[in-house]
Amino acid sequence: AQAAQCRISSRPSRSDLGVAMTQQLGRRTEELSPIAVENAQSCRRNGTSSLRMLGPAPSLKRCRCRFPLYAQVMAGMVLGILLGWLAPQVAANPWIEALGKLFVKMVKMIIAPIIFCTVVLGIAHVADAAKVGRVALKAIVYFEVISTLALLIGLMVAELVQPGRGLHAEPDEAAVKKYQEEAENHSTLDFVMGIVPNTVVSAFVDGEILQVLFFSVIFGFALLGAEKVEVLHSLIDQVAHGMFGVVKIIMKFAPFGAFGAMAHTVGKYGIGTLGSLLGLVATNYVTSLFFVIAVLGLVCLCVGFNIFRFLYYLKRELLLVLATSSSESALPSLLERLQEAGLSKPVVGLVVPLGYSFNLDGTNIYMTLTTLFISQCMGVDLSWSDKIKVLAVAMLTSKGAAGVSGAGFITLAATLGSIHPELVPGMAIVLGIDKFMSECRSLTNICGNAVAAVVIAHLEGELDMKEFRAALHGRKEHERWWEGQREQFGRH
């Protein structure tokens, strides 16, 4: 009895846990001393706690230091920056860089099966093909409207600030030859043809998100109305739970990945080597921040929640994206977090993966802002017809960015080549700082996709606002902690 008292030093309710303990004591009265038996029976008769009657006992509190994952990731980033600044030769070592790359590879290896399971189960839960089409249509319309606003904001900021005016840069054509060749093979026709995989297996092997999404939607529709598919649904659901378990294990390595990525970036490029290009980096960050707060914030207010609370709820995913410079690294965790917040699984499973190919707000801002920056640096004046063409071309070339290695830089080459081929060598001007700008692109992309999922769920009536607001205010996490304390006492 005294040992039980020591194990529940931090308890949800003294009276409730006391009654529960006396019930446990009552079932094992044959093993207790006469005094303990008498105390337990008296408490059961009076409905009071036996904790006060057990007498003093030694304090055996179990001290468990809880250091949340987002704090660990932040600590890894700070240590990486310090290492890259103080010891750049060590930070530039390939083994340091490998820490970040290995973590990103571990996350990417499970993205395809998670998307497949999530989309198929989402369609299966809908059980209505018309509703799936309606959700997809609403999502694409929303994506195009918000993406157009992102392109316009980037264009207007570049016109007002003109960060490249007066630099008179002389680019190195050889530095961007590789990206130019890849951009030539990344036309709109190639993007459309690339939606359909060569084989079902190749989509998963190559990790092409859009191809996996295409097959998953077809497979989900094939199971609608089919007979004897309950076992298959159950199997896919179990595989999905297993994959999210793998995600939790991989996330434990996130601080090491953040440390390696930040240390290598700062050690290789240096904090002071940005020089005059810091103006473009700062303009890109401020513009993206304005887009998130003003545009996405207004959308959130129309739905009925605060953008800042929502971003704080996703702090773990945002820090992960900031450390790895890849929005894909947080995709599995984002799907899980949105479902925990009260969004329905069908909407999350369809909208979020679709947004990773069609809703790249950060990439759109980067495209127009950097295009005008390069033209200003090289002294090439773009007419308003050229700027409108920039908007149209960037709207198309950015759609396949999520499925291409070095996505933002390659799509920038495709955009420049379509407008003014003489601007393509100017990509070498921003080649050294693209790593810093890619973090901003990825952060804005994941914010836009998370808000899009909430908006579409609200329009479909698939959002429990009471549960969603409780999650944003942290009440759901508090309840889960409380329940864990009760379960822990029950085991003891």
Side-chain angles (χ1 to χ4, degrees), residues 4-128:
Q5 178 188 1
C6 297
R7 287 186 177 273
I8 56 172
S9 57
S10 58
R11 51 191 176 278
S13 173
R14 191 178 187 91
S15 59
D16 293 344
L17 296 181
V19 172
M21 195 182 73
T22 54
Q23 293 174 354
Q24 293 289 337
L25 294 175
R27 285 196 292 267
R28 302 184 59 187
T29 54
E30 69 279 359
E31 301 178 9
L32 301 176
S33 65
I35 296 178
V37 171
E38 182 180 355
N39 287 338
Q41 292 174 351
S42 174
C43 290
R44 287 207 305 273
R45 288 193 302 267
N46 301 329
T48 60
S49 171
S50 63
L51 295 178
R52 299 173 182 174
M53 305 177 66
L54 290 175
S59 177
L60 299 177
K61 294 183 180 180
R62 187 181 347 183
C63 180
R64 180 178 299 175
C65 181
R66 299 185 63 86
F67 198 43
L69 180 62
Y70 72 88
Q72 297 177 31
V73 173
M74 185 176 295
M77 292 171 56
V78 172
L79 293 175
I81 292 174
L82 290 176
L83 178 64
W85 178 36
L86 300 176
Q89 295 84 4
V90 178
N93 190 291
W95 286 99
I96 299 295
E97 182 185 13
L99 290 175
K101 289 186 175 181
L102 284 174
F103 174 73
V104 174
K105 288 185 68 175
M106 284 193 295
V107 174
K108 286 186 176 182
M109 77 177 178
I110 60 170
I111 287 179
I114 284 181
I115 289 180
F116 173 76
C117 296
T118 305
V119 172
V120 171
L121 290 175
I123 296 177
H125 282 88
V126 173
D128 183 3

Side-chain angles (χ1 to χ4, degrees), residues 135-136 139-140 143 210 213 349-359 449:
V135 171
I140 291 177
F143 293 159
L210 203 56
L213 182 62
L350 284 174
V351 175
V352 175
L354 195 63
Y356 267 68
S357 292
F358 290 93
N359 187 39
N449 287 324

Side-chain angles (χ1 to χ4, degrees), residues 310 428 440:
F310 185 59
C440 183

Side-chain angles (χ1 to χ4, degrees), residues 69-296:
L69 180 62
Y70 72 88
Q72 297 177 31
V73 173
M74 185 176 295
M77 292 171 56
V78 172
L79 293 175
I81 292 174
L82 290 176
L83 178 64
W85 178 36
L86 300 176
Q89 295 84 4
V90 178
N93 190 291
W95 286 99
I96 299 295
E97 182 185 13
L99 290 175
K101 289 186 175 181
L102 284 174
F103 174 73
V104 174
K105 288 185 68 175
M106 284 193 295
V107 174
K108 286 186 176 182
M109 77 177 178
I110 60 170
I111 287 179
I114 284 181
I115 289 180
F116 173 76
C117 296
T118 305
V119 172
V120 171
L121 290 175
I123 296 177
H125 282 88
V126 173
D128 183 3
K131 184 175 180 179
V132 175
R134 185 174 69 249
V135 171
L137 180 61
K138 287 182 179 179
I140 291 177
V141 171
Y142 173 86
F143 293 159
E144 295 305 315
V145 172
I146 299 298
S147 297
T148 303
L149 289 175
L151 289 168
L152 287 172
I153 289 175
L155 185 64
M156 290 186 295
V157 170
E159 279 293 320
L160 293 174
V161 179
Q162 294 191 350
R165 187 68 65 186
L167 290 183
H168 306 294
E170 296 181 0
D172 181 10
E173 299 185 14
V176 293
K177 184 177 181 180
K178 178 186 68 173
Y179 296 99
Q180 186 177 4
E181 292 175 353
E182 293 187 31
E184 292 173 355
N185 298 324
H186 187 60
S187 63
T188 305
L189 178 60
D190 294 327
F191 167 70
V192 175
M193 295 297 294
I195 295 177
V196 182
N198 294 326
T199 64
V200 173
V201 178
S202 67
F204 291 87
V205 172
D206 298 334
E208 296 288 345
I209 293 179
L210 203 56
Q211 294 181 359
V212 174
L213 182 62
F214 177 79
F215 172 73
S216 302
V217 170
I218 293 180
F219 190 78
F221 275 118
L223 297 183
L224 285 179
E227 298 180 356
K228 300 179 180 180
V229 294
E230 291 80 7
V231 177
L232 185 57
H233 285 168
S234 177
L235 177 62
I236 296 176
D237 188 46
Q238 292 175 8
V239 172
H241 280 83
M243 287 298 166
F244 281 115
V246 174
V247 170
K248 292 180 179 179
I249 296 175
I250 292 177
M251 288 300 113
K252 295 183 183 297
F253 296 91
F256 301 99
F259 169 79
M262 294 304 296
H264 179 76
T265 300
V266 177
K268 182 177 180 180
Y269 299 106
I271 297 179
T273 58
L274 300 180
S276 58
L277 296 178
L278 279 176
L280 175 61
V281 177
T283 303
N284 189 31
Y285 273 85
V286 172
T287 305
S288 299
L289 183 63
F290 171 79
F291 173 81
V292 171
I293 295 176
V295 178
L296 297 183

